[in-house]
Amino acid sequence: MSDDIGELNVPSRLLLGPGPSNVHPRVYRAMMAPVIGYLDPQFLQLLDDTQRPLRALFRTENDMTIAISGTGTAGMEAAIYNVVEPGDTVIVCFNGFFGDRMAQMARRCDAEPVLVEAEWGRIIEPEQVEQALKANPGAKLVAIVHGETSTGILQPLEEISRIVHAHDALLLVDAVTSLAGCDLRIDDWGVDVCLSGTQKCLSAPPGMAPLTLSPQAMEVVAKRKEPVRSWYLDVSMLRNYWGAGKARVYHHTPPMTMLYALREALRIVLEEGLETRIVRHRRHAEALWAGVEAMGLQLHAQEGHRLPSLTTVRVPEGIDEMTLRRGLLQEHNIEVGGGIGVLQGQVWRIGLMGYNATAQNVLGLLYALETELARQGFKVETGAGVAAAVQSLNAAL
Ligand SMILES: *Cc1c(COP(=O)(O)O)cnc(C)c1O
C-alpha cells in the first residue's frame, strides 16, 4: 500500500443540521493569518479585541467573559466544574439531550443532581423549578438549556431566574445554539453562568466556547473548599490569562487560529447588529415553519416556544427518515440532522444558524425536501412549501 494519502478533498456542503453550520467566508479568510506566540503584544490585543464584543453579544458587563479553548461541551464542563463541589445539590432541567449531559457532569463533580423533567419538545415550567427548589433547600445551582438543539425548544428564562434567585441559588444556562441567534440577556435576566460555542449561530468552526460568569458566580468559585477538579478549565487561572493586561501568565498555548476566527465572527455579528441578526433568524425560521406545514408535515416543538435556529420536523408515517436524509445529502448537497435520544427516528433537525439563515437556504431546502418526500411516495402539492415560505417572507417585509 502506498504511503501517499493524497490531497485532502472534502466536499463543500450546505450544513442545515444541528451544527456545525457553514463558516462565514470572512472567518475562513481571518484564519489564514499567521500564528503568533502567546507573549506577542499583538496576542494580548487579540484577547482584548475578543472580550469586548463577547460581552456585547452576551449583553453583560461581567468582567469574567472569555472563550474556553474547546468546543461547547468544554464550555459546559468549565461552567459546571467551576461552581459545583462534592456534596452540592444541583437542580438540572432535563427536557432534552443536553440537560442529561449537564447532569452527568454534575455527578462527576460528586454532586447530587435533582432532575426537573419535561417531555422532549416542551419547555420546563417555572412552577416545576420552584417546586424542586422548595423540596431541596440549600440547592446551589439550577442548570438549564436555553436553546435545546435536540428538541427545537427555546426555553424562557426570566421567570425561572427570578425564582432561582429568590432561593439564593445560581442560574447556569447552556446558550450554545442561541447566542447570536436568539434574544439572550445575561445581565437583565440574571443569568450567573452562561456557555456557548462557535459553530452554531456564530458561523465559525467548532473549537471555542464563549463563557461568562457573574460576580456572584465568581464569588462562589472563590469560596470553594477544594480546587476545581479540571486544571485546564479552572476559571481562577484562566482569569489571569485573559485578565487585566499586565499580569498575563502562561496557562496553555491558545489555539490562535480559532481566536482569529472568533474575533472575525464577533465583528460580523456586531456589523449586522445583534438585534437585526436575531430578527433575521426569526424571519427565516418562520418561513421554514410555514413551508414545512404547507407541505403537510408537522413541527415537533411546542407552539410559542420554537427555537428559530433549530427546527424539529416530525417524520411522517411511512417515510424512511434516513433514506430521506441520504437523498438530501447525495442529490442536493444538503445536510440536515436526525433525531437523537428519545427522538431518534422521529424527527429531522433543521438548523438555520448565523450565516445560513437566508431565504435561498430556506427555499432550497423546501424544494429538496419536497423532491425527496415525493420520491418516497409522500403526497405533496408541487411547490406548496416554497410558496408558503415566500408568502411568509414577504409578509415580514
Ligand atoms: C452543540 C451543543 C452542545 C455541545 O457543543 P459541542 O460543540 O458539540 O461540544 C451543547 N449544548 C447545546 C444546546 C448544543 O446545541
PDB file of all heavy atoms in Angstrom, residues 18-19 71-74 76 98 101 145 147-150 174-177 195 197-200 206-207, ligand 1:
ATOM      1  N   PRO A  18     -27.907  20.317  13.001  1.00  0.00           N
ATOM      2  CA  PRO A  18     -27.820  20.890  14.353  1.00  0.00           C
ATOM      3  C   PRO A  18     -26.465  21.529  14.666  1.00  0.00           C
ATOM      4  O   PRO A  18     -26.203  21.870  15.812  1.00  0.00           O
ATOM      5  CB  PRO A  18     -28.070  19.679  15.243  1.00  0.00           C
ATOM      6  CG  PRO A  18     -27.635  18.506  14.439  1.00  0.00           C
ATOM      7  CD  PRO A  18     -27.907  18.842  13.011  1.00  0.00           C
ATOM      8  N   GLY A  19     -25.634  21.691  13.705  1.00  0.00           N
ATOM      9  CA  GLY A  19     -24.300  22.252  13.888  1.00  0.00           C
ATOM     10  C   GLY A  19     -23.258  21.168  13.641  1.00  0.00           C
ATOM     11  O   GLY A  19     -23.541  20.006  13.929  1.00  0.00           O
ATOM     12  N   THR A  71     -14.640  22.853  22.432  1.00  0.00           N
ATOM     13  CA  THR A  71     -15.976  23.035  21.851  1.00  0.00           C
ATOM     14  C   THR A  71     -16.992  23.361  22.948  1.00  0.00           C
ATOM     15  O   THR A  71     -16.646  23.477  24.129  1.00  0.00           O
ATOM     16  CB  THR A  71     -16.423  21.777  21.090  1.00  0.00           C
ATOM     17  OG1 THR A  71     -16.612  20.715  22.030  1.00  0.00           O
ATOM     18  CG2 THR A  71     -15.413  21.371  20.031  1.00  0.00           C
ATOM     19  N   GLY A  72     -18.228  23.479  22.574  1.00  0.00           N
ATOM     20  CA  GLY A  72     -19.296  23.827  23.514  1.00  0.00           C
ATOM     21  C   GLY A  72     -19.302  22.947  24.752  1.00  0.00           C
ATOM     22  O   GLY A  72     -19.557  23.432  25.865  1.00  0.00           O
ATOM     23  N   THR A  73     -19.018  21.681  24.581  1.00  0.00           N
ATOM     24  CA  THR A  73     -19.012  20.761  25.722  1.00  0.00           C
ATOM     25  C   THR A  73     -17.912  21.122  26.722  1.00  0.00           C
ATOM     26  O   THR A  73     -18.098  20.994  27.937  1.00  0.00           O
ATOM     27  CB  THR A  73     -18.840  19.310  25.234  1.00  0.00           C
ATOM     28  OG1 THR A  73     -19.859  19.049  24.259  1.00  0.00           O
ATOM     29  CG2 THR A  73     -18.983  18.306  26.364  1.00  0.00           C
ATOM     30  N   ALA A  74     -16.785  21.603  26.239  1.00  0.00           N
ATOM     31  CA  ALA A  74     -15.722  22.075  27.138  1.00  0.00           C
ATOM     32  C   ALA A  74     -16.221  23.297  27.900  1.00  0.00           C
ATOM     33  O   ALA A  74     -15.943  23.457  29.098  1.00  0.00           O
ATOM     34  CB  ALA A  74     -14.459  22.418  26.340  1.00  0.00           C
ATOM     35  N   MET A  76     -19.298  23.785  28.675  1.00  0.00           N
ATOM     36  CA  MET A  76     -20.248  23.232  29.640  1.00  0.00           C
ATOM     37  C   MET A  76     -19.504  22.682  30.856  1.00  0.00           C
ATOM     38  O   MET A  76     -19.900  22.905  32.006  1.00  0.00           O
ATOM     39  CB  MET A  76     -21.055  22.130  28.957  1.00  0.00           C
ATOM     40  CG  MET A  76     -22.243  21.635  29.750  1.00  0.00           C
ATOM     41  SD  MET A  76     -23.026  20.209  28.933  1.00  0.00           S
ATOM     42  CE  MET A  76     -24.113  21.010  27.785  1.00  0.00           C
ATOM     43  N   PHE A  98     -29.124  17.682  26.054  1.00  0.00           N
ATOM     44  CA  PHE A  98     -28.025  18.394  26.696  1.00  0.00           C
ATOM     45  C   PHE A  98     -28.236  18.605  28.188  1.00  0.00           C
ATOM     46  O   PHE A  98     -27.278  18.794  28.935  1.00  0.00           O
ATOM     47  CB  PHE A  98     -27.717  19.687  25.945  1.00  0.00           C
ATOM     48  CG  PHE A  98     -27.151  19.395  24.584  1.00  0.00           C
ATOM     49  CD1 PHE A  98     -27.928  19.497  23.439  1.00  0.00           C
ATOM     50  CD2 PHE A  98     -25.845  18.939  24.459  1.00  0.00           C
ATOM     51  CE1 PHE A  98     -27.406  19.177  22.188  1.00  0.00           C
ATOM     52  CE2 PHE A  98     -25.311  18.619  23.220  1.00  0.00           C
ATOM     53  CZ  PHE A  98     -26.098  18.734  22.080  1.00  0.00           C
ATOM     54  N   ARG A 101     -26.593  15.699  29.665  1.00  0.00           N
ATOM     55  CA  ARG A 101     -25.131  15.847  29.690  1.00  0.00           C
ATOM     56  C   ARG A 101     -24.682  16.667  30.901  1.00  0.00           C
ATOM     57  O   ARG A 101     -23.689  16.355  31.554  1.00  0.00           O
ATOM     58  CB  ARG A 101     -24.675  16.504  28.379  1.00  0.00           C
ATOM     59  CG  ARG A 101     -23.178  16.614  28.240  1.00  0.00           C
ATOM     60  CD  ARG A 101     -22.759  17.017  26.836  1.00  0.00           C
ATOM     61  NE  ARG A 101     -22.953  15.937  25.870  1.00  0.00           N
ATOM     62  CZ  ARG A 101     -22.521  15.969  24.607  1.00  0.00           C
ATOM     63  NH1 ARG A 101     -21.873  17.006  24.155  1.00  0.00           N
ATOM     64  NH2 ARG A 101     -22.716  14.948  23.806  1.00  0.00           N
ATOM     65  N   VAL A 145     -31.066  24.485  29.730  1.00  0.00           N
ATOM     66  CA  VAL A 145     -30.649  24.737  28.351  1.00  0.00           C
ATOM     67  C   VAL A 145     -31.572  25.784  27.738  1.00  0.00           C
ATOM     68  O   VAL A 145     -32.791  25.654  27.818  1.00  0.00           O
ATOM     69  CB  VAL A 145     -30.690  23.434  27.519  1.00  0.00           C
ATOM     70  CG1 VAL A 145     -30.290  23.711  26.074  1.00  0.00           C
ATOM     71  CG2 VAL A 145     -29.785  22.374  28.138  1.00  0.00           C
ATOM     72  N   GLY A 147     -31.463  27.053  24.297  1.00  0.00           N
ATOM     73  CA  GLY A 147     -31.907  26.537  23.003  1.00  0.00           C
ATOM     74  C   GLY A 147     -31.588  25.054  22.937  1.00  0.00           C
ATOM     75  O   GLY A 147     -30.428  24.689  22.793  1.00  0.00           O
ATOM     76  N   GLU A 148     -32.607  24.203  23.073  1.00  0.00           N
ATOM     77  CA  GLU A 148     -32.359  22.750  23.083  1.00  0.00           C
ATOM     78  C   GLU A 148     -32.274  22.239  21.644  1.00  0.00           C
ATOM     79  O   GLU A 148     -33.288  22.083  20.966  1.00  0.00           O
ATOM     80  CB  GLU A 148     -33.461  22.019  23.845  1.00  0.00           C
ATOM     81  CG  GLU A 148     -33.048  21.072  24.942  1.00  0.00           C
ATOM     82  CD  GLU A 148     -31.853  20.146  24.786  1.00  0.00           C
ATOM     83  OE1 GLU A 148     -31.473  19.808  23.647  1.00  0.00           O
ATOM     84  OE2 GLU A 148     -31.313  19.731  25.824  1.00  0.00           O
ATOM     85  N   THR A 149     -31.079  21.967  21.200  1.00  0.00           N
ATOM     86  CA  THR A 149     -30.837  21.555  19.828  1.00  0.00           C
ATOM     87  C   THR A 149     -31.411  20.169  19.542  1.00  0.00           C
ATOM     88  O   THR A 149     -31.605  19.799  18.387  1.00  0.00           O
ATOM     89  CB  THR A 149     -29.320  21.567  19.569  1.00  0.00           C
ATOM     90  OG1 THR A 149     -28.760  22.661  20.279  1.00  0.00           O
ATOM     91  CG2 THR A 149     -29.008  21.735  18.107  1.00  0.00           C
ATOM     92  N   SER A 150     -31.670  19.397  20.572  1.00  0.00           N
ATOM     93  CA  SER A 150     -32.215  18.056  20.336  1.00  0.00           C
ATOM     94  C   SER A 150     -33.735  18.072  20.172  1.00  0.00           C
ATOM     95  O   SER A 150     -34.299  17.140  19.604  1.00  0.00           O
ATOM     96  CB  SER A 150     -31.827  17.114  21.485  1.00  0.00           C
ATOM     97  OG  SER A 150     -32.437  17.525  22.695  1.00  0.00           O
ATOM     98  N   ASP A 174     -27.085  26.933  29.277  1.00  0.00           N
ATOM     99  CA  ASP A 174     -26.427  26.495  28.048  1.00  0.00           C
ATOM    100  C   ASP A 174     -27.037  27.284  26.900  1.00  0.00           C
ATOM    101  O   ASP A 174     -28.212  27.107  26.576  1.00  0.00           O
ATOM    102  CB  ASP A 174     -26.645  24.985  27.867  1.00  0.00           C
ATOM    103  CG  ASP A 174     -26.179  24.469  26.508  1.00  0.00           C
ATOM    104  OD1 ASP A 174     -25.995  25.277  25.582  1.00  0.00           O
ATOM    105  OD2 ASP A 174     -26.018  23.241  26.370  1.00  0.00           O
ATOM    106  N   ALA A 175     -26.231  28.180  26.314  1.00  0.00           N
ATOM    107  CA  ALA A 175     -26.716  29.005  25.200  1.00  0.00           C
ATOM    108  C   ALA A 175     -25.933  28.693  23.925  1.00  0.00           C
ATOM    109  O   ALA A 175     -25.683  29.564  23.102  1.00  0.00           O
ATOM    110  CB  ALA A 175     -26.601  30.482  25.556  1.00  0.00           C
ATOM    111  N   VAL A 176     -25.558  27.419  23.770  1.00  0.00           N
ATOM    112  CA  VAL A 176     -24.734  27.049  22.609  1.00  0.00           C
ATOM    113  C   VAL A 176     -25.464  27.357  21.304  1.00  0.00           C
ATOM    114  O   VAL A 176     -24.880  27.894  20.372  1.00  0.00           O
ATOM    115  CB  VAL A 176     -24.309  25.560  22.680  1.00  0.00           C
ATOM    116  CG1 VAL A 176     -23.556  25.162  21.409  1.00  0.00           C
ATOM    117  CG2 VAL A 176     -23.421  25.310  23.890  1.00  0.00           C
ATOM    118  N   THR A 177     -26.761  27.065  21.247  1.00  0.00           N
ATOM    119  CA  THR A 177     -27.498  27.245  19.989  1.00  0.00           C
ATOM    120  C   THR A 177     -28.311  28.535  19.958  1.00  0.00           C
ATOM    121  O   THR A 177     -29.047  28.789  19.029  1.00  0.00           O
ATOM    122  CB  THR A 177     -28.387  26.006  19.726  1.00  0.00           C
ATOM    123  OG1 THR A 177     -27.539  24.864  19.679  1.00  0.00           O
ATOM    124  CG2 THR A 177     -29.119  26.066  18.411  1.00  0.00           C
ATOM    125  N   LEU A 195     -22.711  29.517  28.904  1.00  0.00           N
ATOM    126  CA  LEU A 195     -21.715  28.983  27.978  1.00  0.00           C
ATOM    127  C   LEU A 195     -22.294  28.917  26.580  1.00  0.00           C
ATOM    128  O   LEU A 195     -23.508  28.836  26.407  1.00  0.00           O
ATOM    129  CB  LEU A 195     -21.320  27.576  28.411  1.00  0.00           C
ATOM    130  CG  LEU A 195     -22.456  26.565  28.326  1.00  0.00           C
ATOM    131  CD1 LEU A 195     -22.114  25.442  27.377  1.00  0.00           C
ATOM    132  CD2 LEU A 195     -22.807  26.042  29.693  1.00  0.00           C
ATOM    133  N   GLY A 197     -20.942  28.187  22.060  1.00  0.00           N
ATOM    134  CA  GLY A 197     -19.985  27.546  21.150  1.00  0.00           C
ATOM    135  C   GLY A 197     -19.847  28.394  19.904  1.00  0.00           C
ATOM    136  O   GLY A 197     -20.658  29.293  19.663  1.00  0.00           O
ATOM    137  N   THR A 198     -18.818  28.111  19.108  1.00  0.00           N
ATOM    138  CA  THR A 198     -18.558  28.960  17.941  1.00  0.00           C
ATOM    139  C   THR A 198     -19.229  28.467  16.657  1.00  0.00           C
ATOM    140  O   THR A 198     -19.356  29.225  15.708  1.00  0.00           O
ATOM    141  CB  THR A 198     -17.040  29.050  17.691  1.00  0.00           C
ATOM    142  OG1 THR A 198     -16.455  27.755  17.875  1.00  0.00           O
ATOM    143  CG2 THR A 198     -16.385  30.030  18.641  1.00  0.00           C
ATOM    144  N   GLN A 199     -19.640  27.195  16.624  1.00  0.00           N
ATOM    145  CA  GLN A 199     -20.034  26.604  15.334  1.00  0.00           C
ATOM    146  C   GLN A 199     -21.529  26.622  15.071  1.00  0.00           C
ATOM    147  O   GLN A 199     -21.998  25.988  14.162  1.00  0.00           O
ATOM    148  CB  GLN A 199     -19.508  25.179  15.232  1.00  0.00           C
ATOM    149  CG  GLN A 199     -20.312  24.110  15.971  1.00  0.00           C
ATOM    150  CD  GLN A 199     -19.923  23.970  17.430  1.00  0.00           C
ATOM    151  OE1 GLN A 199     -19.472  24.918  18.041  1.00  0.00           O
ATOM    152  NE2 GLN A 199     -20.113  22.783  17.992  1.00  0.00           N
ATOM    153  N   LYS A 200     -22.278  27.336  15.906  1.00  0.00           N
ATOM    154  CA  LYS A 200     -23.720  27.365  15.645  1.00  0.00           C
ATOM    155  C   LYS A 200     -24.082  28.745  15.096  1.00  0.00           C
ATOM    156  O   LYS A 200     -23.715  29.032  13.973  1.00  0.00           O
ATOM    157  CB  LYS A 200     -24.456  26.938  16.900  1.00  0.00           C
ATOM    158  CG  LYS A 200     -23.864  25.587  17.393  1.00  0.00           C
ATOM    159  CD  LYS A 200     -24.776  24.507  17.816  1.00  0.00           C
ATOM    160  CE  LYS A 200     -23.950  23.246  18.082  1.00  0.00           C
ATOM    161  NZ  LYS A 200     -24.606  22.263  18.911  1.00  0.00           N
ATOM    162  N   PRO A 206     -16.112  24.815  14.787  1.00  0.00           N
ATOM    163  CA  PRO A 206     -16.118  24.356  16.172  1.00  0.00           C
ATOM    164  C   PRO A 206     -14.724  24.491  16.766  1.00  0.00           C
ATOM    165  O   PRO A 206     -13.734  24.320  16.052  1.00  0.00           O
ATOM    166  CB  PRO A 206     -16.522  22.873  16.071  1.00  0.00           C
ATOM    167  CG  PRO A 206     -16.239  22.470  14.664  1.00  0.00           C
ATOM    168  CD  PRO A 206     -16.357  23.716  13.826  1.00  0.00           C
ATOM    169  N   GLY A 207     -14.629  24.806  18.051  1.00  0.00           N
ATOM    170  CA  GLY A 207     -13.297  24.852  18.650  1.00  0.00           C
ATOM    171  C   GLY A 207     -13.125  25.825  19.792  1.00  0.00           C
ATOM    172  O   GLY A 207     -12.159  25.750  20.521  1.00  0.00           O
TER     173      GLY A 207
HETATM  174  C1  LIG B   1     -23.970  21.637  20.162  1.00  0.00           C
HETATM  175  C2  LIG B   1     -24.428  21.792  21.552  1.00  0.00           C
HETATM  176  C3  LIG B   1     -23.611  21.479  22.656  1.00  0.00           C
HETATM  177  C4  LIG B   1     -22.285  20.818  22.518  1.00  0.00           C
HETATM  178  O1  LIG B   1     -21.359  21.535  21.865  1.00  0.00           O
HETATM  179  P1  LIG B   1     -20.103  20.821  21.161  1.00  0.00           P
HETATM  180  O2  LIG B   1     -19.506  21.958  20.421  1.00  0.00           O
HETATM  181  O3  LIG B   1     -20.680  19.765  20.263  1.00  0.00           O
HETATM  182  O4  LIG B   1     -19.223  20.276  22.181  1.00  0.00           O
HETATM  183  C5  LIG B   1     -24.106  21.728  23.920  1.00  0.00           C
HETATM  184  N1  LIG B   1     -25.336  22.231  24.112  1.00  0.00           N
HETATM  185  C6  LIG B   1     -26.156  22.520  23.079  1.00  0.00           C
HETATM  186  C7  LIG B   1     -27.512  23.071  23.357  1.00  0.00           C
HETATM  187  C8  LIG B   1     -25.726  22.302  21.768  1.00  0.00           C
HETATM  188  O5  LIG B   1     -26.542  22.580  20.755  1.00  0.00           O
END
